[in-house]
Amino acid sequence: MTRIHHFRYRLLTVVFLTILCLFMTAVIVTARLHDDRYPATITNSISLDAKIRFLRQNRQLFGAQTVFAGSSMCFNNVDVAYLNHRLPGAATFVNISAWGLQIDSTRKIIDFFLEHAPHVRNVVMVGQIVDFRCSREGSLFDREEVWSYISGKESILFTARHFNLLKSWENWRTFDRLARTNQGYDGLMFDETGSVMMDIPQAKLNGKRWNEYGLDAETNAFAFSELEKLCAMLRSSGKRFIFVVTPVRQAYRQHSNSSRALEVFKGQVRGIVVRNGGILVDADEQLALKDDCFIDMMHLNHHGARKVAELLASLL
C-alpha cells in the first residue's frame, strides 16, 4: 500500500510540474508573440509603451541631434517630420513625447534618452499649462530594463514580468486600430520621428473638448521646480534648451480665470528658462492661430502643427 501511495505521489508531482512548465512556456511564448506585434506592457500608458516600442524599432533615432519632448502638447502639436525634411543639414530629429506626461515624467524621459543619445545638441520641450498640474509619483519605469528592451537584449524574465493579460487583451482590441489612424484623439499613427499629426474631420470633433479642454488648469510649485531641475541638468551638460508654449484657441481667453492663469504660467516658465540660459518661444502669442488649426481648446491639427514647426525652423 505504501509503495502505491509513493507511486501516486510521484506521479502527481510529475504531472503538476509538467503542467506548470507547459503553462509557463505558454505564457512566455504568448508574451513574445504579443511583444513582436504590440507594445510591451511596461507602463500604465499605451501611448508611452507604444513610444518605447517605436524607439526599439527605430534605434537609429538615438543618433539624433535634436529631441522634442513633452505630453500630447508635443506629441501632436509640432510637425517634427517637416523639420526633418526642411532642415536636412541639422541631422535627425526625434519626438519622444507621449500622452499625459507631466513635467517630472518628461524630465525623467529626457534624462533616460540623453543617457543613450550622445549626439543630442538641442532639447525642445513643447508644453502648456496642463503639463504643470500634477505629478506621477514613483519611478516611471526601470531604466535598465527598458534599455534592454529597446536594444533588443531583454531577458525571458523581462518578457514574463511585463506580460499583463488584461493590458495585452486591451492592446489586441485597440492597438491595431489606433496605430492606423490619425482621425481620432487617441490616434497612434507615428510618423518617422515619433510624432502623430491629427486630422480629425470637423464633424467628428468632440464638443466638450472643443469648448472646455484645459480650462481652469491649476499648476503647483513642484512642477516648476521640476522645470528648474531640467534646465539645470541640460545647462550643465552643454545642451541648448528651448521651451515652446504651444497655442490655445482664442476662445480660451474669454474665460477670465483661465486667461489670467495662462499669463501667470507663461511668466513663471519664462523666468525659469531664461534664468538658466534657455530660449522661450511663445508660439501661442506669436502665431495667434485661428480655429481651423485646432481639434480642441489646446490640441492642434496637422495644419497648426506645421505652423509651429515653421516657427521653430529658424532656431534649429
Side-chain angles (χ1 to χ4, degrees):
M1 200 68 173
T2 304
R3 290 182 179 179
I4 293 175
H5 286 159
H6 280 307
F7 174 76
R8 287 178 178 175
Y9 174 77
R10 290 198 203 97
L11 181 60
L12 288 173
T13 301
V14 170
V15 170
F16 172 77
L17 292 176
T18 301
I19 293 174
L20 181 62
C21 288
L22 289 173
F23 174 76
M24 293 302 298
T25 301
V27 169
I28 291 171
V29 169
T30 302
R32 288 286 193 183
L33 291 173
H34 171 274
D35 291 355
D36 282 343
R37 180 166 179 176
Y38 302 100
T41 53
I42 299 170
T43 72
N44 291 321
S45 165
I46 189 174
S47 169
L48 183 52
D49 286 343
K51 182 55 62 73
I52 291 171
R53 177 176 181 262
F54 172 81
L55 293 173
R56 171 187 171 99
Q57 296 174 321
N58 297 273
R59 295 177 194 132
Q60 76 280 1
L61 292 177
F62 283 91
Q65 291 189 9
T66 300
V67 54
F68 283 76
S71 65
S72 58
M73 296 293 100
C74 181
F75 196 61
N76 302 132
N77 284 5
V78 55
D79 189 350
V80 182
Y82 164 80
L83 295 172
N84 239 7
H85 297 287
R86 175 73 173 77
L87 305 170
T92 308
F93 294 78
V94 60
N95 188 336
I96 61 173
S97 58
W99 301 336
L101 295 181
Q102 291 297 302
I103 176 65
D104 58 322
S105 297
T106 294
R107 180 182 64 80
K108 292 171 185 175
I109 290 174
I110 291 173
D111 187 39
F112 168 77
F113 187 85
L114 293 181
E115 181 181 347
H116 304 286
H119 304 299
V120 172
R121 296 179 180 176
N122 306 304
V123 175
V124 184
M125 181 177 174
V126 182
Q128 247 304 340
I129 190 171
V130 292
D131 301 326
F132 287 71
R133 290 187 293 189
C134 59
S135 168
R136 294 181 61 164
E137 296 181 1
S139 61
L140 201 57
F141 49 69
D142 185 299
R143 294 165 65 121
E144 291 185 8
E145 279 195 343
V146 169
W147 180 246
S148 72
Y149 172 76
I150 290 175
S151 58
K153 299 175 182 177
E154 73 276 20
S155 67
I156 292 177
L157 287 177
F158 172 92
T159 302
R161 185 181 301 118
H162 292 286
F163 182 70
N164 181 308
L165 188 58
L166 293 177
K167 287 184 180 179
S168 299
W169 175 249
E170 186 66 20
N171 279 352
W172 294 332
R173 289 177 53 234
T174 63
F175 183 71
D176 283 336
R177 173 181 61 82
L178 298 181
R180 289 196 299 263
T181 183
N182 61 352
Q183 296 191 357
Y185 292 97
D186 54 358
L188 291 173
M189 192 168 72
F190 294 131
D191 64 20
E192 72 212 45
T193 69
S195 305
V196 177
M197 297 296 96
M198 306 305 288
D199 189 21
I200 303 177
Q202 186 74 25
K204 292 186 177 181
L205 293 178
N206 181 294
K208 184 175 179 63
R209 289 183 62 126
W210 181 257
N211 292 308
E212 299 180 17
Y213 186 93
L215 292 180
D216 302 319
E218 295 182 0
T219 60
N220 62 49
F222 172 81
F224 291 104
S225 70
E226 285 292 305
L227 178 61
E228 191 89 52
K229 288 180 185 177
L230 174 61
C231 290
M233 177 186 79
L234 296 175
R235 187 175 190 178
S236 66
S237 61
K239 307 290 190 291
R240 186 170 70 144
F241 180 53
I242 303 171
F243 190 102
V244 182
V245 179
T246 189
V248 300
R249 288 181 57 222
Q250 296 307 307
Y252 193 89
R253 292 170 176 79
Q254 296 174 10
H255 301 267
S256 57
N257 290 340
S258 297
S259 182
R260 282 195 298 270
L262 179 59
E263 292 309 310
V264 171
F265 162 75
K266 288 182 181 181
Q268 288 179 285
V269 170
R270 180 180 291 106
I272 293 171
V273 171
V274 173
R275 183 167 64 249
N276 285 278
I279 300 171
L280 190 286
V281 178
D282 190 346
D284 177 46
E285 180 179 334
Q286 293 185 47
L287 294 175
L289 297 179
K290 297 181 179 179
D291 281 355
D292 59 0
C293 288
F294 290 86
I295 60 173
D296 64 23
M297 194 66 86
M298 289 185 173
H299 289 91
L300 303 176
N301 60 23
H302 64 283
H303 298 299
R306 172 64 63 85
K307 292 181 182 297
V308 173
E310 291 171 345
L311 177 65
L312 297 177
S314 61
L315 290 174
L316 301 171

